[in-house]
Each structure stands twice: as C-alpha cells, then as structure tokens.
Amino acid sequence: MSQGFPAGAYLYFLLSFSACTGQAQTASKTSTVQTAVASNSSALEPIRWRDALRQEEGWYSSPEAMRIADNLLLYQRDNGGWDKNMDMAKVLTEKEEEELRSPIEKGRVSTIDNKATFTQMEYLARVYQATGQEKYKASFLRGMDYLYEAQYENGGWPQFYPIREGYYEHITFNDGAMIGVMRLLRDVAQDKPTYSFVDATRKSQAAKAVEKGVEAILKTQIKVNGHLTAWCAQHDKTNFAPQKARAYELPSISGGESVGIVKFLMEMEQPNQEVINAVDGAVSWLERVKVEGIRLDKVEIPSINKGYDLVVVNDPAAPALLARFYKIGTNQPMFVGRDGIVRETIAEIEQERRVGYSWYLEFPQDLVEKAYPAWKQKWKTAE
C-alpha cells in the first residue's frame, strides 16, 4: 500500500503548511482553495469494484485506477484466478495486504462465478493499455493461463477451479459464468484493441477455447420430444444432462441464462448450421414460455426480512416476463424454497427466498422481435 499522503490529506497538509509559514491568505484565495477541495471531494472518494469497469477511458491511467489494479494483484491466487463477492476496490489496510499475501490465501481455489476472474482480467487489460506497466500485463496473462487450464476437454468450464467437489464442478452457465469467460476469450482471439498486447500463442489458444466452448453449448442444449429448447443453469460435466445446484436450483430450463447464451451465439461471425439451429430452437422456446398478464409488486412491510414482500398482481397491460426456471417437458414456471420442493407460484415459497432471488426477469422483447429476425434474415442463406 502506498505510504504517501491520500489526496485529501495532502490538500489539508498544504493548507496547514501555508498557514504555519505565515504566508498571507486572502479571503478570495482561501475561498478558492476550499472550493477546489469541495469540488474534488467526490473524486477523492474510492469507487466500488462494481463500478470499476464503468469509468471513462482516460480514468484508467489515474492513480486511483492503478491503486485498484495493485489490489487485484494482491487478490489474485497462485493458480491465476480470483475469488468472488469482494469489493476489490476498497482501500486496504496493511494487515489486509499482509493477509492477502499469505500462502494460505494465495493457495485457495478461484472461480468464474458472479463475474469473478474475467472481470478482473478485463480491468487489468484496460489499466495496462493506459499505463504500460508490465505487472498488470503479467497478471492478465496468468489469468488467461488459468482459464485455459480450468476448461474441460469437452469445452465447458466448472464454477470453481481447482475443482471443488459438488455442484461447483458442473459446467456452469449460472449468472453468465461460462459466457462471461467466452466473451473475454473471443475478444482476445479477435484482437480487440483492449487485448492487443496478448501474444500470438495465447490468442490462438483463446480461439480454440471458444470453439470448444461453443461445442459444449450445443451439446448441453436441452431437447424435448426431439425439439431443441434452451439450457439449464448447470450441466453434468460428463453426460451434459441438466443438474441441480443449491436446494432451490433444480434441473430445469433456465430463462435468464438461456437469453445470455442465445445472445452470444448470435454474435458469432460465421455461425454454422448447428449454431443456427440452436438459436432457432431457443428463440422458439422463449416465445412459447413468455409470461403475460401479471406484474410483480414490491410491498413495503418494515417488520419482515428486507422490509418488503413481493406479490404477483394480475395486469393485462404489464410488460411480458420470463420465469427464472421452467419444468423440463411442461414449461411450467418453477418456484422452489430451501426445502427443495417445487411450487407453481411464487406465493407458495418462503418470504426469505421470495425476496432473496430473481424468480421473474424482464422478457427479452427486443431480442425476440428485432435482433433475432434481423439475424435470421442475414444467415438464412446458410441453411
């Protein structure tokens, strides 16, 4: 951690030093300095990790951007990946830095769940491009090697690597995990400007990894009565069958994860017939399972968990929704509490799960009604 003055403290020091040396301070000058401090106060406030990839391009060469990049070097595990659910942009104490350098912490497994690892890599690539500091490039390349090592031979990626036993070893689409990895590797393989520094060997590896990943996507797509539908949030690493994760995440067809997969496949530069068929089947399924005529209302109840509840209300004018999970074969929306029992309505599960999970999502209207028809028209000659 830097031993220099934090920016705010440094301004305070300059003001104090000026006063102590007896330099004359006119009211107007004092006012100007105070105004400058006030106007910069928001900039001096550390950002949150969730906002680190949302900054203007010029920001990535700033001291604050490099401070966060240095944090990521500390958080990176010996295997080359990162953990999840941490504010990696926070200002670290010396004790926290020491803990992150410890062999125990460095030796832990890494994950691609909840946007971990591939988001840290994108951030480091941006800061390297802006600063040219080799340590950020080296960290990014270690992350690439981690992703290559973690990929199954059949093309899928587990949630954790080294393998953590349990549902963590399934091929994981949940929360965009595998698709997030594939988007980054695709951008590397296509020599996007952010990743222009990557060597030719790793770019070639990235292209092959994406190709294998697409093969896994095609193998995991669920067929019902011979017709392609969509995907589960996680699939068996050997036979590609839909699998259970947590108690309330049962084998099913997943609305949200499937939308992300379809978008990725539609972005392919030269989709083959298998990919075209996969997209056709998935979009057809999305159209069939659209939930209409209801809305989800948030009802404030201060005395209960999170202070509110969610209630389904009949509303013919409400925008269409997509359920998080559907029963395979019937396309009935599924709602599951921590007891693992499938219910047909959200009202039947416990309030803690009702408000603690995204059971309904916005239906991808633009994808189905605009993007897909245009894509279909573009590639119809390939059929």
Side-chain angles (χ1 to χ4, degrees):
M1 185 169 70
S2 172
Q3 299 302 309
F5 282 111
Y10 182 65
L11 285 170
Y12 178 78
F13 168 78
L14 288 178
L15 291 172
S16 300
F17 178 80
S18 177
C20 289
T21 54
Q23 293 180 354
Q25 298 289 329
T26 66
S28 61
K29 289 183 179 180
T30 301
S31 176
T32 299
V33 174
Q34 290 172 340
T35 300
V37 172
S39 65
N40 281 288
S41 60
S42 60
L44 300 176
E45 190 71 24
I47 69 168
R48 301 290 298 274
W49 171 243
R50 65 190 178 196
D51 298 319
L53 290 173
R54 302 173 183 170
Q55 307 303 309
E56 297 292 332
E57 183 179 351
W59 179 85
Y60 292 95
S61 62
S62 69
E64 174 70 353
M66 289 186 284
R67 180 191 68 77
I68 295 170
D70 288 339
N71 274 9
L72 298 188
L73 303 187
L74 289 171
Y75 279 105
Q76 189 172 27
R77 302 281 166 74
D78 284 342
N79 54 49
W82 283 264
D83 201 357
K84 62 177 179 176
N85 300 340
M86 297 180 182
D87 181 10
M88 296 188 182
K90 66 176 285 191
V91 177
L92 297 169
T93 66
E94 291 185 4
K95 181 179 180 181
E96 287 170 331
E97 290 187 4
E98 185 178 348
E99 289 173 351
L100 288 171
R101 291 190 182 99
S102 70
I104 292 177
E105 188 65 29
K106 287 293 186 184
R108 297 187 191 279
V109 299
S110 299
T111 184
I112 59 171
D113 191 32
N114 289 1
K115 297 181 172 58
T117 296
F118 56 88
T119 51
Q120 282 83 4
M121 291 174 63
E122 181 181 349
Y123 182 86
L124 286 167
R126 291 191 188 186
V127 177
Y128 172 70
Q129 289 286 21
T131 67
Q133 293 204 29
E134 288 293 319
K135 58 183 178 180
Y136 304 138
K137 173 183 174 180
S139 178
F140 176 91
L141 296 179
R142 287 179 57 212
M144 288 200 74
D145 295 341
Y146 166 81
L147 293 177
Y148 297 145
E149 184 178 341
Q151 187 178 27
Y152 288 132
E153 186 58 36
N154 61 27
W157 271 273
Q159 188 179 128
F160 281 81
Y161 187 81
I163 296 298
R164 181 176 171 185
E165 292 185 2
Y167 69 82
Y168 312 101
E169 57 190 299
H170 295 323
I171 295 172
T172 303
F173 296 120
N174 191 39
D175 291 330
M178 181 166 150
I179 295 301
V181 170
M182 291 179 67
R183 284 184 186 280
L184 182 142
L185 294 181
R186 178 198 60 193
D187 289 349
V188 170
Q190 293 178 352
D191 201 24
K192 293 293 178 67
T194 302
Y195 308 107
S196 60
F197 62 88
V198 177
D199 56 274
T201 298
R202 287 188 175 90
K203 285 179 182 175
S204 176
Q205 285 179 288
K208 291 176 182 176
V210 172
E211 183 179 343
K212 288 170 60 178
V214 171
E215 291 175 4
I217 288 173
L218 298 177
K219 290 174 182 176
T220 51
Q221 190 170 14
I222 299 167
K223 277 188 177 181
V224 176
N225 297 325
H227 297 286
L228 291 169
T229 62
W231 293 265
C232 186
Q234 53 278 319
H235 290 256
D236 186 89
K237 65 180 180 178
T238 303
N239 63 20
F240 304 107
Q243 293 295 314
K244 171 185 175 182
R246 290 171 289 192
Y248 47 91
E249 297 170 328
L250 302 182
S252 59
I253 306 180
S254 173
E257 278 69 28
S258 294
V259 170
I261 295 170
V262 169
K263 288 180 178 179
F264 179 84
L265 294 178
M266 287 174 58
E267 292 164 359
M268 291 182 63
E269 292 184 333
Q270 293 291 332
N272 60 26
Q273 190 59 53
E274 279 190 282
V275 170
I276 291 172
N277 292 342
V279 172
D280 288 344
V283 172
S284 176
W285 178 83
L286 286 169
E287 290 177 319
R288 293 197 302 276
V289 302
K290 179 165 49 177
V291 179
E292 298 179 294
I294 65 169
R295 70 173 191 270
L296 205 57
D297 279 1
K298 183 176 179 179
V299 180
E300 303 291 340
I301 308 176
S303 61
I304 64 175
N305 176 52
K306 291 195 175 181
Y308 69 93
D309 204 349
L310 294 173
V311 179
V312 171
V313 177
N314 291 326
D315 181 358
L321 298 173
L322 191 64
R324 180 69 177 263
F325 302 125
Y326 293 86
K327 289 183 182 178
I328 299 173
T330 69
N331 289 332
Q332 174 70 35
M334 292 171 50
F335 306 92
V336 188
R338 292 191 181 275
D339 58 7
I341 299 174
V342 176
R343 266 86 175 194
E344 293 187 358
T345 68
I346 194 173
E348 297 175 79
I349 62 174
E350 65 268 30
Q351 185 267 348
E352 180 271 332
R353 280 296 80 199
R354 193 159 53 241
V355 302
Y357 203 68
S358 299
W359 295 103
Y360 283 109
L361 310 166
E362 180 182 350
F363 185 77
Q365 204 77 33
D366 283 349
L367 172 70
V368 172
E369 295 185 357
K370 296 179 182 179
Y372 170 70
W375 177 88
K376 185 67 175 172
Q377 179 67 25
K378 179 179 180 180
W379 297 111
K380 67 178 183 179
T381 55
E383 297 185 77

